[in-house]
Amino acid sequence: MTDFHSLVANLRRPRLLIRAARCGVDGYRRDKDLRRLIPQSGVARPEQVMTHLMDEEERLEQSRIGGCASYSLARHVEVMIALMCEIRLLPVGARP
């Protein structure tokens, strides 16, 4: 069981990353953007999408911290935008 609201609220990321993601929230289009971020998403429930996005964000964060050459800031911002938007589709305290 996962409380996604608490998980997202407790994320500690660089301010610039969060600010960039907030700027992109208005342009988020679930059907188009999720297909790019999660190729097999189809008509996935928000809980399933959040699980995948949280895993992807953690992978990106570890790459950022580790200084990996494969780290993509643009991808990290896209995932953060999706997280911010998808969390709004869940009821507060949702536990799948």
Side-chain angles (χ1 to χ4, degrees):
M1 301 275 184
T2 305
D3 180 3
F4 292 112
H5 290 278
S6 295
L7 288 174
V8 171
N10 291 325
L11 286 178
R12 297 294 171 246
R13 301 299 182 254
R15 246 190 281 185
L16 188 57
L17 175 65
I18 300 302
R19 288 178 67 192
R22 284 183 183 149
C23 289
V25 166
D26 290 338
Y28 180 76
R29 300 294 172 258
R30 189 174 202 261
D31 57 333
K32 179 186 70 136
D33 295 332
L34 275 186
R35 208 174 17 235
R36 186 177 61 254
L37 295 171
I38 309 171
Q40 70 280 10
S41 65
V43 186
R45 293 187 349 240
E47 294 87 0
Q48 294 169 322
V49 170
M50 284 298 296
T51 299
H52 182 81
L53 289 173
M54 291 296 292
D55 291 345
E56 176 70 5
E57 197 283 329
E58 181 59 31
R59 185 189 67 75
L60 287 163
E61 180 63 6
Q62 292 307 314
S63 293
R64 183 186 72 79
I65 291 171
C68 293
S70 63
Y71 173 71
S72 169
L73 176 61
R75 173 91 174 164
H76 204 163
V77 171
E78 287 177 337
V79 170
M80 292 301 293
I81 290 168
L83 274 172
M84 289 176 179
C85 293
E86 291 294 320
I87 196 80
R88 294 176 181 177
L89 300 176
L90 296 173
V92 174
R95 293 181 179 267

